[in-house]
């Protein structure tokens, strides 16, 4: 923000607004009577309910991003349809854009797709603990490339989520990858196919997914 000492009609220029660092979580002192925001989680909680944007804490960064494009949303919708019957058979719940949090740290995430049993443990009314999930999926967009490809596998493996499905329509060539068997903060197995081919989702889902639905 640029400020100036120039005056208009004899009134002083307005003081610059205090800046908040989304990387460090440092904030100016809270006004009297308001809770001081001392952590990134505090900043996140202050945003919840005030914005329709997606917010996550990834690698010590508070990431606030707009909802995906219509094409992005269509892909997730097709995944919901593809797995709907399997989820119904097992009594599982499918939610696009579910608010989840890491056990312990409560770092929040919002995967594009989540599959979980109805009795999965929660933090309050809004967030499901990541360790209670069966599967998550992300669709890569230009703004999420590094986080979805590089950071999310480690995050979801650390949370012990059995399956992470990565739909990557902007890769060359476009691909779908299944990460499974989480151990010691990493997935020990990953399988990739070109978009349009079939790929197996291992136990506990045990489903042959035809990725041609994403074309």
């Amino acid at each position: 923000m640029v400020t100036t000492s120039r005056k208009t009609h004899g009134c002083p220029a307005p003081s610059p607004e205090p800046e908040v660092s989304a990387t460090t979580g440092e904030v100016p002192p809270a006004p009297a009577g308001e809770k001081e925001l001392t952590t990134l989680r505090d900043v996140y909680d202050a945003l919840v309910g005030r914005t329709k944007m997606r917010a996550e804490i990834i690698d010590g960064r508070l990431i606030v991003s707009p909802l995906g494009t219509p094409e992005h949303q269509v892909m997730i919708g097709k995944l919901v349809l593809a797995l709907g019957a399997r989820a119904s058979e097992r009594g599982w719940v499918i939610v696009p854009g579910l608010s989840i949090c890491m056990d312990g740290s409560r770092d929040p995430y919002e995967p594009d797709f989540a599959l979980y049993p109805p009795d999965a443990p929660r933090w309050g009314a809004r967030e499901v603990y990541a360790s209670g999930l069966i599967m998550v999926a992300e669709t890569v967009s230009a703004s999420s490339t590094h986080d979805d490809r590089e950071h999310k596998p480690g995050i979801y493996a650390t949370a012990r989520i059995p399956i992470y499905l990565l739909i990557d329509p902007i890769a060359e060539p476009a691909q779908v990858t299944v990460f499974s068997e989480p151990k010691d903060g990493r997935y020990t197995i990953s399988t990739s196919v070109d978009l349009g081919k079939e790929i197996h989702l291992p136990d506990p889902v045990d489903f042959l997914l035809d990725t041609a639905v994403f074309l």
Side-chain angles (χ1 to χ4, degrees), residues 80-168:
V80 171
L81 290 174
L83 291 177
R86 175 65 88 202
S88 180
E89 290 172 3
R90 306 289 176 86
W92 295 335
V93 179
I94 292 178
V95 177
L98 179 70
S99 294
I100 69 174
C101 66
M102 187 72 73
D103 300 48
S105 69
R106 284 196 65 225
D107 281 353
Y109 304 98
E110 191 174 326
D112 291 329
F113 169 101
L115 179 66
Y116 63 98
D119 60 350
R122 295 186 179 188
W123 176 273
R126 177 181 172 85
E127 297 171 18
V128 175
Y129 277 117
S131 62
L133 302 181
I134 295 166
M135 172 181 160
V136 291
E138 302 281 6
T139 300
V140 178
S141 60
S143 62
S144 69
T145 301
H146 188 69
D147 287 329
D148 288 346
R149 294 174 181 169
E150 305 297 331
H151 289 291
K152 291 292 182 73
I155 289 169
Y156 293 147
T158 298
R160 304 184 301 280
I161 300 174
I163 301 170
Y164 171 36
L165 177 68
L166 180 65
I167 306 166
D168 196 343

Side-chain angles (χ1 to χ4, degrees), residues 180-195:
S180 60
E181 298 292 336
K183 183 178 180 180
D184 298 330
R186 59 182 292 270
Y187 284 108
T188 58
I189 298 176
S190 66
T191 303
S192 298
V193 298
D194 290 345
L195 196 65

Side-chain angles (χ1 to χ4, degrees), residues 5-67:
S5 61
R6 183 179 178 181
K7 297 182 180 181
T8 304
H9 301 300
C11 297
S15 300
E17 296 179 0
E19 296 182 353
V20 178
S21 169
T23 302
T24 64
E26 295 176 359
V27 296
E34 292 188 13
K35 178 184 176 182
E36 184 175 2
L37 307 179
T38 59
T39 67
L40 282 179
R41 179 69 211 205
D42 288 342
V43 177
Y44 170 85
D45 288 338
L47 288 173
V48 172
R50 300 184 184 183
T51 177
K52 293 182 179 180
M53 299 181 75
R54 179 180 184 179
E56 301 177 293
I57 295 177
I58 301 174
D59 192 32
R61 297 166 293 133
L62 177 59
I63 308 298
V64 181
S65 56
L67 298 178

